[in-house]
Amino acid sequence: MPENPVLRRRIRGRPLSAGGYGTTASLVLVSPLILLLVSAFAYPVGRLLWNSVFTPEPTLAHYARIIAEPLYLIVLWRTFEIAFIVTALAFLLGYPVAYAMARVQGRRAILVAACVLVPLWTSVLVRSYAWIVLLQRNGIVNTVVQEMGLSKAPLQLLYTEGAVILAMTHVLLPFMVLPIYSTLRNIPDEFAKAARNLGASAPQAFLRITFPLSLPGAAAGTLITFILALGFYITPALVGGPSTLMMSTLIAQQTTELLDWPFAGALSAILLVSTLLLAALYRRALSFSKGFSNG
């Protein structure tokens, strides 16, 4: 009786799909995604960066303009500063929420998950306009403050850096919560129980067992949140003002209002290179800390 190759793979314990697709079939299946990435991302970004140097003659004048005029460096620094503050706040607020999601059961778990996921399913534009309703001069916050007698005149809450940080933290919070939650959920409860049986208190068990094991999720969440905050456009444009101008808003102004595409490409290149450099340094720091702790 001839040997069945499918049965042989099943007996050996290998998944049936391990050798089910050849190279040609795999390329055919992946080709729509590759075509979409090339046409909708790689080509536009590459063309924008190309125009920043070749306009049509090779020149670095646009990059020299960024360095020569302090305004653009100030905007770049403000962008990274706001992104760092938003990431830190998202971590401080998101870690307890992720911990609660991983530990509660039943209806409470569904309620906590809904509080995290429903805002994620809502449009960023809607959430940004909601903050405008809350923070405007006749908004809910100013009304409550005046009724409590804390201020006689409406406070300037909207179009400030604080409003931008608050709104961006709210919008990006799920991107911090979900990676941490996925890591915490995979940590067995027996680890903390064993630490408690060996004499550790609940805070000691958390700080020495649970928190170190959740650091991969925290690292992924902070990196995702930071990168998204660097390129955020809708929320800073709606709730921010001229004093809170960020790189994404500045690039949009150069393309849509001034029609200076080469200079917008130079600004995009500076932001892209800075982001990739910080991401590489962040990953290097994480790998170094792992090696140091293991040593």
Side-chain angles (χ1 to χ4, degrees):
M1 179 177 179
E3 185 179 4
N4 191 336
V6 176
L7 181 61
R8 184 174 65 253
R9 287 200 300 268
R10 185 177 298 175
I11 294 175
R12 293 179 180 177
R14 293 187 298 175
L16 297 180
S17 61
Y21 298 103
T23 303
T24 305
S26 300
L27 290 176
V28 171
L29 293 174
V30 179
S31 58
L33 177 60
I34 296 176
L35 181 62
L36 177 63
L37 291 176
V38 171
S39 61
F41 177 75
Y43 175 75
V45 173
R47 183 64 180 271
L48 188 64
L49 300 181
W50 176 271
N51 291 338
S52 67
V53 178
F54 299 93
T55 56
E57 299 295 332
T59 179
L60 296 177
H62 302 293
Y63 295 91
R65 177 182 171 187
I66 297 175
I67 299 175
E69 299 185 20
L71 172 63
Y72 304 116
L73 297 179
I74 293 174
V75 173
L76 180 64
W77 173 258
R78 184 189 298 123
T79 301
F80 280 93
E81 181 183 12
I82 292 178
F84 177 80
I85 296 175
V86 168
T87 303
L89 290 177
F91 176 77
L92 294 177
L93 297 174
Y95 196 96
V97 176
Y99 187 83
M101 288 179 61
R103 293 296 179 264
V104 297
Q105 302 292 333
R107 294 183 178 179
R108 291 182 296 176
I110 298 176
L111 179 61
V112 175
C115 293
V116 175
L117 295 177
V118 170
L120 184 62
W121 297 335
T122 307
S123 172
V124 177
L125 188 64
V126 174
R127 284 181 282 174
S128 300
Y129 273 116
W131 280 107
I132 294 177
V133 174
L134 291 173
L135 300 178
Q136 62 184 345
R137 293 180 64 85
N138 297 325
I140 298 175
V141 176
N142 270 316
T143 301
V144 173
V145 170
Q146 290 178 345
E147 289 181 353
M148 295 178 61
L150 300 178
S151 177
K152 295 182 180 180
L155 301 176
Q156 180 62 36
L157 302 176
L158 197 59
Y159 308 122
T160 61
E161 185 172 315
V164 174
I165 293 174
L166 185 62
M168 288 180 60
T169 302
H170 169 247
V171 173
L172 295 176
L173 189 60
F175 296 97
M176 178 68 73
V177 173
L178 295 178
I180 299 177
Y181 163 72
S182 64
T183 304
L184 287 172
R185 190 181 62 175
N186 294 325
I187 299 176
D189 296 336
E190 288 76 10
F191 290 178
K193 293 179 181 179
R196 297 292 302 276
N197 292 334
L198 292 175
S201 62
Q204 289 177 336
F206 172 77
L207 292 176
R208 302 185 66 176
I209 302 297
T210 305
F211 183 74
L213 292 176
S214 67
L215 287 181
T222 52
L223 185 60
I224 294 173
T225 304
F226 184 76
I227 292 177
L228 290 176
L230 286 177
F232 229 56
Y233 170 70
I234 297 178
T235 301
L238 291 178
V239 304
S243 60
T244 59
L245 185 65
M246 297 181 64
M247 285 294 290
S248 57
T249 309
L250 180 61
I251 293 172
Q253 289 179 354
Q254 297 295 325
T255 56
T256 59
E257 297 179 10
L258 301 178
L259 301 180
D260 193 350
W261 288 86
F263 186 63
L267 292 172
S268 302
I270 294 296
L271 181 60
L272 178 62
V273 172
S274 302
T275 303
L276 294 177
L277 181 61
L278 284 179
L281 292 176
Y282 184 73
R283 290 178 59 87
R284 184 65 179 269
L286 289 179
S287 62
F288 175 78
S289 63
K290 291 180 182 178
F292 183 78
S293 61
N294 293 334

